Every structure is written in C-alpha cells, then in structure tokens.
Amino acid sequence: MNTSSTAYINGQFVPLSEVTISPLDRGFVFGDGVYEVIPVYHGVAFRLDEHLLRLNNSLSAIRLDNPYSDEKWATVLNQLIEENQAGDQSLYIQITRGVAERDHAFPETSAATIFAMSKPLPASQQAPIKAITLQDIRWQWCHIKSTALLGNLLLRQQAIDRGCQEAILLRDGVLTEGAASNVFIVKDGVILTPQKSNQILPGITRDIVVELAEENNVAIAETEISEQQLLSADEIWVTSATKEIAPVIELNGKPINSGKIGPACQVMQKLFNQFKQTLRNQ
Ligand SMILES: Cc1ncc(COP(=O)(O)O)c(C=O)c1O
C-alpha cells in the first residue's frame, strides 16, 4: 500500500498516512455510506459524468445529500489526479453519513465524511480469470454502490479459496452479476448480459460495452440469463473499472471456449482499447 500518496479528506489534501477517521463514523460502525471507483487514463477521469451520476443515485437511495456539486467533484478529483502524478490510476471516493453517537436512526445533525484516494491501476486488467458460480446471498438493493460489502466479500473469498478470481452469482436460477463485476455471455454469436435492475450494480464498464457493441453492429441483447444458458455459454467475460473486460476461461472447473479468450471477447476488448485510446489522443 502506498501510504505516501495524496488523499482527500473533508476539504483537505493530505498524505494518505495522515488521514484519520473517528471510530464513531457511521461508515465504520454501520457501513452507512457509498463509494465510487473511477479509472484514470492519461490523467483523465474515465466517464466522470457517468460515475458522478451513479454516485448521486447511490446517495439519494440512502437518503444522504450529495455534499458537492458535480463541478466541485471534478475540481477535487482533478487536483487529486495531479497530486498523484497525473498518469493512469484508479480513484476511490467514499461518502458516509458522518460521525454520530451509535444509533440506527439517522442523526439529526451530522456532516458527511468525504474521502477520496488514488491507487495504481492493477497490472492484471483484461487478464483471463477462473470463476465459480454461487448463490447470490446479497440484499435486494444491489444497484446502490454501498460500502456495506460483506456479502460480496464472503462470495469473492469462496472463489479465491477454490483457486478462482471471481464468483458469478445466481439468484433463483437467474444470473445477476459477479461479486465485483458485471457478467456477459455469448451464445450462438449473440452477446447477452442481464438487464439493469435492483439486483445488479449498473456498471459503467458494462454500459460502455453495450454502447460499443451497438455502435459497431455487434449483436447484443440485455436479457434474463438462466443458469443453464450460463453453463452452456460459448464465451463468458466479466467487466469492471479495474478489470475492464476480463475473459472467464474456466467456470466451475470446466474450460470455457477450450480455455481460450473467445472471438467476441477479443472484438470487444479491441473496441474498448480503441475507445480508451481516444482519451490519450485528446
Ligand atoms: C458488484 C459489482 N458489480 C459490478 C461492478 C462493475 O462496475 P464498474 O464497471 O462501474 O466498475 C462492480 C465494480 O466494482 C461491482 O462491485
């Protein structure tokens, strides 16, 4: 962990090692907060408007006012990018309901805690992964990017314990998403991904993949996907800000597409990389 990187806490830019948060912060006590993860390529926050919109949606869903306007967020985040050497990185933002006496009821007065930090992007972006299927044990409001991630952590850890990198989740026999990613499959030449609902996080990377496929006349549909369709898919991949488009080459110990990156995945990775490149050329 690079604790000498610069972080942002309640209006101040300070070394990450100097950030202090009260043990009475509701984020610590209850997981009463939301977050965002924004990739930065070549010093530019990728899809910033979409991330800020999702942040706003998460905050309204937990009945917490956004402490900043989008313009203020852009100023804070751009300074954070600059303070952390401008290039490629991943920004993490967390907003909690602040410090208050421990009580389930919302405090009548408390200032939100506003935190942001920068991390390097993982070297493993787009790397093939192995996955297992698990029952989606999480709550019903998975569209909120809540910091209360215990369900996701327990599921991801089961995958890790079985030598895999991701858990692909099924609720009542229907595909939802990964423990920290959205899922795409390919069946008979068509890319399929679950529709947005309160059962999944509306992934920013997911939306880019759908958009790029539509713009480039690649067959894609947002639809319900059964366990049977998942298990018999020709290709599977997962998407997230930090993984980008990562092919799943093994599911439940069985190779997918003979353990190789499938042709549709390669097409989408190429389109995604070209799209990112347009930022570098700006
Ligand atoms: C549960 C879950 N679903 C989907 C995603 C993908 O979202 P995004 O593409 O915005 O990173 C994430 C990202 O961490 C996640 O935690």
Short mmCIF file of all heavy atoms in Angstrom, two decimals, residues 35-39 51 54 138 142 144-145 149 152 156 166 169 177-183 199-208 239-244, ligand 1:
data_model
loop_
_atom_site.label_atom_id
_atom_site.label_comp_id
_atom_site.label_asym_id
_atom_site.label_seq_id
_atom_site.Cartn_x
_atom_site.Cartn_y
_atom_site.Cartn_z
N TYR A 35 -19.79 4.53 -2.29
CA TYR A 35 -18.47 4.77 -2.86
C TYR A 35 -18.51 4.72 -4.38
O TYR A 35 -19.53 4.34 -4.97
CB TYR A 35 -17.46 3.75 -2.31
CG TYR A 35 -17.57 2.34 -2.87
CD1 TYR A 35 -16.62 1.86 -3.76
CD2 TYR A 35 -18.63 1.50 -2.53
CE1 TYR A 35 -16.71 0.57 -4.27
CE2 TYR A 35 -18.73 0.22 -3.05
CZ TYR A 35 -17.77 -0.24 -3.92
OH TYR A 35 -17.87 -1.50 -4.44
N GLU A 36 -17.40 5.10 -4.98
CA GLU A 36 -17.21 5.01 -6.43
C GLU A 36 -15.76 4.63 -6.69
O GLU A 36 -14.86 4.97 -5.90
CB GLU A 36 -17.46 6.37 -7.11
CG GLU A 36 -18.88 6.63 -7.52
CD GLU A 36 -19.43 5.61 -8.53
OE1 GLU A 36 -18.71 5.20 -9.46
OE2 GLU A 36 -20.59 5.21 -8.37
N VAL A 37 -15.51 3.96 -7.78
CA VAL A 37 -14.15 3.67 -8.24
C VAL A 37 -14.08 4.16 -9.69
O VAL A 37 -14.85 3.70 -10.54
CB VAL A 37 -13.82 2.17 -8.16
CG1 VAL A 37 -12.44 1.89 -8.75
CG2 VAL A 37 -13.90 1.68 -6.72
N ILE A 38 -13.18 5.10 -9.93
CA ILE A 38 -13.11 5.74 -11.26
C ILE A 38 -11.71 5.53 -11.85
O ILE A 38 -10.72 6.01 -11.28
CB ILE A 38 -13.38 7.26 -11.14
CG1 ILE A 38 -14.67 7.52 -10.34
CG2 ILE A 38 -13.44 7.91 -12.53
CD1 ILE A 38 -14.95 8.98 -10.08
N PRO A 39 -11.60 4.85 -12.98
CA PRO A 39 -10.28 4.71 -13.58
C PRO A 39 -9.85 6.03 -14.23
O PRO A 39 -10.69 6.79 -14.70
CB PRO A 39 -10.46 3.62 -14.65
CG PRO A 39 -11.92 3.59 -14.95
CD PRO A 39 -12.64 4.17 -13.76
N HIS A 51 -19.93 8.37 -13.67
CA HIS A 51 -19.61 7.96 -12.29
C HIS A 51 -20.28 8.91 -11.29
O HIS A 51 -20.79 8.47 -10.26
CB HIS A 51 -18.10 7.94 -12.08
CG HIS A 51 -17.44 6.69 -12.59
ND1 HIS A 51 -17.48 5.49 -11.91
CD2 HIS A 51 -16.78 6.44 -13.73
CE1 HIS A 51 -16.85 4.56 -12.61
NE2 HIS A 51 -16.41 5.11 -13.72
N ARG A 54 -23.94 8.10 -11.05
CA ARG A 54 -24.19 6.91 -10.23
C ARG A 54 -23.98 7.23 -8.75
O ARG A 54 -24.73 6.75 -7.88
CB ARG A 54 -23.29 5.74 -10.67
CG ARG A 54 -23.64 4.45 -9.95
CD ARG A 54 -22.89 3.25 -10.51
NE ARG A 54 -21.45 3.36 -10.30
CZ ARG A 54 -20.57 2.47 -10.76
NH1 ARG A 54 -20.97 1.43 -11.47
NH2 ARG A 54 -19.28 2.63 -10.53
N ARG A 138 -26.81 -11.79 -1.44
CA ARG A 138 -26.80 -10.38 -1.01
C ARG A 138 -28.22 -9.82 -0.86
O ARG A 138 -29.19 -10.45 -1.22
CB ARG A 138 -26.00 -9.55 -2.02
CG ARG A 138 -24.57 -10.06 -2.19
CD ARG A 138 -23.90 -9.36 -3.36
NE ARG A 138 -24.68 -9.55 -4.57
CZ ARG A 138 -24.61 -8.75 -5.63
NH1 ARG A 138 -23.77 -7.74 -5.62
NH2 ARG A 138 -25.36 -8.98 -6.69
N CYS A 142 -28.94 -4.12 -4.73
CA CYS A 142 -27.56 -4.19 -5.22
C CYS A 142 -27.24 -3.09 -6.23
O CYS A 142 -26.09 -2.97 -6.67
CB CYS A 142 -27.31 -5.56 -5.84
SG CYS A 142 -27.43 -6.86 -4.62
N ILE A 144 -27.30 -0.04 -5.47
CA ILE A 144 -26.63 1.01 -4.69
C ILE A 144 -25.18 0.60 -4.50
O ILE A 144 -24.90 -0.53 -4.09
CB ILE A 144 -27.29 1.17 -3.30
CG1 ILE A 144 -28.77 1.48 -3.44
CG2 ILE A 144 -26.57 2.23 -2.48
CD1 ILE A 144 -29.53 1.46 -2.12
N LYS A 145 -24.25 1.51 -4.79
CA LYS A 145 -22.84 1.17 -4.59
C LYS A 145 -22.50 1.45 -3.13
O LYS A 145 -21.85 2.45 -2.79
CB LYS A 145 -21.95 1.96 -5.57
CG LYS A 145 -20.62 1.27 -5.84
CD LYS A 145 -19.97 1.76 -7.11
CE LYS A 145 -18.53 1.32 -7.27
NZ LYS A 145 -18.28 -0.10 -7.39
N LEU A 149 -20.21 -4.24 2.05
CA LEU A 149 -19.95 -5.24 1.01
C LEU A 149 -19.72 -6.64 1.56
O LEU A 149 -19.12 -7.48 0.87
CB LEU A 149 -18.71 -4.80 0.20
CG LEU A 149 -18.94 -3.64 -0.77
CD1 LEU A 149 -17.61 -3.15 -1.35
CD2 LEU A 149 -19.87 -4.03 -1.90
N ASN A 152 -20.63 -9.50 -0.70
CA ASN A 152 -19.71 -9.61 -1.83
C ASN A 152 -18.37 -10.19 -1.40
O ASN A 152 -17.78 -11.01 -2.12
CB ASN A 152 -19.46 -8.22 -2.44
CG ASN A 152 -20.74 -7.51 -2.83
OD1 ASN A 152 -21.59 -7.27 -1.98
ND2 ASN A 152 -20.90 -7.20 -4.09
N ARG A 156 -16.71 -13.53 -2.88
CA ARG A 156 -15.42 -13.46 -3.57
C ARG A 156 -14.41 -14.39 -2.89
O ARG A 156 -13.65 -15.10 -3.53
CB ARG A 156 -14.91 -12.01 -3.57
CG ARG A 156 -13.46 -11.81 -3.99
CD ARG A 156 -13.15 -12.23 -5.42
NE ARG A 156 -13.67 -11.34 -6.42
CZ ARG A 156 -13.12 -10.18 -6.80
NH1 ARG A 156 -12.02 -9.76 -6.22
NH2 ARG A 156 -13.67 -9.45 -7.75
N GLU A 166 -13.07 -14.92 -9.36
CA GLU A 166 -14.37 -14.26 -9.24
C GLU A 166 -15.48 -15.28 -9.00
O GLU A 166 -15.39 -16.44 -9.42
CB GLU A 166 -14.67 -13.46 -10.53
CG GLU A 166 -15.94 -12.61 -10.52
CD GLU A 166 -16.04 -11.56 -9.41
OE1 GLU A 166 -15.87 -11.92 -8.22
OE2 GLU A 166 -16.33 -10.39 -9.72
N LEU A 169 -22.77 -14.93 -9.81
CA LEU A 169 -23.86 -15.13 -8.86
C LEU A 169 -25.20 -15.41 -9.54
O LEU A 169 -25.52 -14.82 -10.58
CB LEU A 169 -23.99 -13.88 -7.98
CG LEU A 169 -22.65 -13.42 -7.35
CD1 LEU A 169 -22.84 -12.15 -6.55
CD2 LEU A 169 -22.05 -14.53 -6.49
N GLU A 177 -24.82 -11.00 -11.32
CA GLU A 177 -23.55 -10.37 -11.69
C GLU A 177 -22.42 -11.09 -10.97
O GLU A 177 -22.63 -12.14 -10.36
CB GLU A 177 -23.58 -8.88 -11.32
CG GLU A 177 -23.79 -8.63 -9.82
CD GLU A 177 -23.82 -7.15 -9.45
OE1 GLU A 177 -23.34 -6.32 -10.21
OE2 GLU A 177 -24.32 -6.85 -8.34
N GLY A 178 -21.21 -10.54 -11.06
CA GLY A 178 -20.09 -11.10 -10.31
C GLY A 178 -20.03 -10.45 -8.94
O GLY A 178 -20.72 -9.46 -8.67
N ALA A 179 -19.18 -11.00 -8.05
CA ALA A 179 -19.05 -10.42 -6.70
C ALA A 179 -18.57 -8.98 -6.78
O ALA A 179 -18.88 -8.17 -5.90
CB ALA A 179 -18.11 -11.26 -5.84
N ALA A 180 -17.78 -8.64 -7.81
CA ALA A 180 -17.36 -7.24 -8.01
C ALA A 180 -17.25 -6.95 -9.51
O ALA A 180 -16.28 -6.33 -9.96
CB ALA A 180 -16.03 -6.99 -7.31
N SER A 181 -18.24 -7.39 -10.28
CA SER A 181 -18.17 -7.20 -11.73
C SER A 181 -19.54 -7.48 -12.33
O SER A 181 -20.39 -8.10 -11.70
CB SER A 181 -17.15 -8.16 -12.36
OG SER A 181 -17.48 -9.51 -12.05
N ASN A 182 -19.75 -7.02 -13.57
CA ASN A 182 -20.93 -7.44 -14.35
C ASN A 182 -20.51 -8.59 -15.26
O ASN A 182 -19.34 -8.78 -15.54
CB ASN A 182 -21.46 -6.27 -15.18
CG ASN A 182 -22.02 -5.16 -14.31
OD1 ASN A 182 -21.45 -4.08 -14.20
ND2 ASN A 182 -23.14 -5.43 -13.66
N VAL A 183 -21.52 -9.35 -15.70
CA VAL A 183 -21.21 -10.57 -16.47
C VAL A 183 -21.84 -10.49 -17.86
O VAL A 183 -22.98 -10.04 -18.01
CB VAL A 183 -21.73 -11.82 -15.72
CG1 VAL A 183 -21.42 -13.08 -16.52
CG2 VAL A 183 -21.13 -11.91 -14.33
N GLN A 199 -31.15 -5.76 -8.74
CA GLN A 199 -30.36 -6.96 -8.39
C GLN A 199 -28.89 -6.84 -8.80
O GLN A 199 -28.09 -7.71 -8.47
CB GLN A 199 -30.93 -8.19 -9.10
CG GLN A 199 -32.43 -8.35 -8.99
CD GLN A 199 -32.83 -9.07 -7.74
OE1 GLN A 199 -32.24 -10.07 -7.40
NE2 GLN A 199 -33.82 -8.56 -7.05
N ILE A 200 -28.58 -5.79 -9.61
CA ILE A 200 -27.18 -5.66 -10.03
C ILE A 200 -26.72 -4.21 -9.93
O ILE A 200 -27.55 -3.28 -9.97
CB ILE A 200 -26.93 -6.16 -11.49
CG1 ILE A 200 -27.58 -5.23 -12.54
CG2 ILE A 200 -27.39 -7.58 -11.68
CD1 ILE A 200 -27.13 -5.54 -13.97
N LEU A 201 -25.40 -4.02 -9.84
CA LEU A 201 -24.85 -2.68 -9.90
C LEU A 201 -24.82 -2.26 -11.37
O LEU A 201 -24.35 -3.03 -12.22
CB LEU A 201 -23.44 -2.65 -9.33
CG LEU A 201 -22.89 -1.23 -9.24
CD1 LEU A 201 -23.43 -0.53 -8.00
CD2 LEU A 201 -21.39 -1.22 -9.24
N PRO A 202 -25.36 -1.06 -11.69
CA PRO A 202 -25.27 -0.61 -13.08
C PRO A 202 -23.83 -0.21 -13.41
O PRO A 202 -23.41 0.92 -13.19
CB PRO A 202 -26.22 0.59 -13.13
CG PRO A 202 -26.32 1.08 -11.73
CD PRO A 202 -26.03 -0.09 -10.82
N GLY A 203 -23.06 -1.16 -13.89
CA GLY A 203 -21.62 -0.95 -14.10
C GLY A 203 -21.37 0.05 -15.23
O GLY A 203 -22.02 0.01 -16.27
N ILE A 204 -20.41 0.92 -15.00
CA ILE A 204 -20.05 1.91 -16.03
C ILE A 204 -19.35 1.18 -17.18
O ILE A 204 -19.57 1.49 -18.36
CB ILE A 204 -19.12 3.00 -15.42
CG1 ILE A 204 -19.75 3.64 -14.18
CG2 ILE A 204 -18.75 4.03 -16.48
CD1 ILE A 204 -21.02 4.42 -14.39
N THR A 205 -18.54 0.20 -16.87
CA THR A 205 -17.85 -0.56 -17.92
C THR A 205 -18.86 -1.37 -18.72
O THR A 205 -18.77 -1.48 -19.95
CB THR A 205 -16.80 -1.51 -17.29
OG1 THR A 205 -16.21 -0.85 -16.17
CG2 THR A 205 -15.72 -1.90 -18.28
N ARG A 206 -19.84 -1.94 -18.03
CA ARG A 206 -20.93 -2.68 -18.69
C ARG A 206 -21.60 -1.80 -19.74
O ARG A 206 -21.83 -2.21 -20.87
CB ARG A 206 -21.96 -3.11 -17.63
CG ARG A 206 -23.25 -3.69 -18.19
CD ARG A 206 -24.38 -3.59 -17.17
NE ARG A 206 -25.61 -4.14 -17.71
CZ ARG A 206 -26.44 -3.50 -18.54
NH1 ARG A 206 -26.17 -2.26 -18.93
NH2 ARG A 206 -27.53 -4.09 -18.98
N ASP A 207 -21.92 -0.56 -19.33
CA ASP A 207 -22.61 0.34 -20.26
C ASP A 207 -21.75 0.65 -21.48
O ASP A 207 -22.26 0.75 -22.60
CB ASP A 207 -22.96 1.66 -19.56
CG ASP A 207 -24.17 1.50 -18.63
OD1 ASP A 207 -24.78 0.41 -18.63
OD2 ASP A 207 -24.48 2.46 -17.92
N ILE A 208 -20.45 0.80 -21.26
CA ILE A 208 -19.56 1.10 -22.39
C ILE A 208 -19.56 -0.08 -23.36
O ILE A 208 -19.62 0.10 -24.58
CB ILE A 208 -18.11 1.40 -21.91
CG1 ILE A 208 -18.10 2.64 -21.01
CG2 ILE A 208 -17.17 1.59 -23.10
CD1 ILE A 208 -16.76 2.92 -20.35
N THR A 239 -16.90 -7.60 -16.45
CA THR A 239 -16.40 -6.24 -16.65
C THR A 239 -16.41 -5.47 -15.34
O THR A 239 -17.29 -5.64 -14.50
CB THR A 239 -17.29 -5.46 -17.66
OG1 THR A 239 -18.62 -5.34 -17.14
CG2 THR A 239 -17.32 -6.12 -19.02
N SER A 240 -15.41 -4.61 -15.18
CA SER A 240 -15.40 -3.65 -14.07
C SER A 240 -14.36 -2.59 -14.39
O SER A 240 -13.53 -2.78 -15.28
CB SER A 240 -15.07 -4.32 -12.73
OG SER A 240 -13.69 -4.57 -12.64
N ALA A 241 -14.42 -1.50 -13.62
CA ALA A 241 -13.49 -0.40 -13.85
C ALA A 241 -12.04 -0.88 -13.79
O ALA A 241 -11.20 -0.45 -14.57
CB ALA A 241 -13.72 0.68 -12.80
N THR A 242 -11.74 -1.76 -12.85
CA THR A 242 -10.35 -2.17 -12.69
C THR A 242 -9.99 -3.40 -13.54
O THR A 242 -8.86 -3.55 -13.96
CB THR A 242 -10.01 -2.43 -11.21
OG1 THR A 242 -11.03 -3.26 -10.67
CG2 THR A 242 -9.93 -1.15 -10.42
N LYS A 243 -10.96 -4.26 -13.80
CA LYS A 243 -10.67 -5.45 -14.66
C LYS A 243 -10.87 -5.15 -16.13
O LYS A 243 -10.44 -5.91 -16.98
CB LYS A 243 -11.62 -6.61 -14.32
CG LYS A 243 -11.40 -7.24 -12.97
CD LYS A 243 -12.28 -8.51 -12.89
CE LYS A 243 -12.50 -8.97 -11.49
NZ LYS A 243 -13.36 -8.05 -10.70
N GLU A 244 -11.60 -4.08 -16.44
CA GLU A 244 -12.04 -3.76 -17.80
C GLU A 244 -12.85 -4.94 -18.34
O GLU A 244 -13.89 -5.25 -17.79
CB GLU A 244 -10.83 -3.41 -18.69
CG GLU A 244 -10.14 -2.15 -18.17
CD GLU A 244 -9.07 -1.62 -19.08
OE1 GLU A 244 -8.51 -2.38 -19.88
OE2 GLU A 244 -8.78 -0.41 -18.98
C1 LIG B 1 -20.99 -5.80 -7.53
C2 LIG B 1 -20.38 -5.08 -8.69
N1 LIG B 1 -20.97 -5.18 -9.89
C3 LIG B 1 -20.45 -4.56 -10.98
C4 LIG B 1 -19.28 -3.81 -10.90
C5 LIG B 1 -18.72 -3.14 -12.12
O1 LIG B 1 -18.96 -1.75 -12.13
P1 LIG B 1 -17.97 -0.74 -12.86
O2 LIG B 1 -17.87 -1.21 -14.28
O3 LIG B 1 -18.63 0.58 -12.76
O4 LIG B 1 -16.65 -0.81 -12.15
C6 LIG B 1 -18.64 -3.68 -9.66
C7 LIG B 1 -17.41 -2.88 -9.55
O5 LIG B 1 -16.69 -2.95 -8.61
C8 LIG B 1 -19.21 -4.32 -8.52
O6 LIG B 1 -18.64 -4.22 -7.31
#
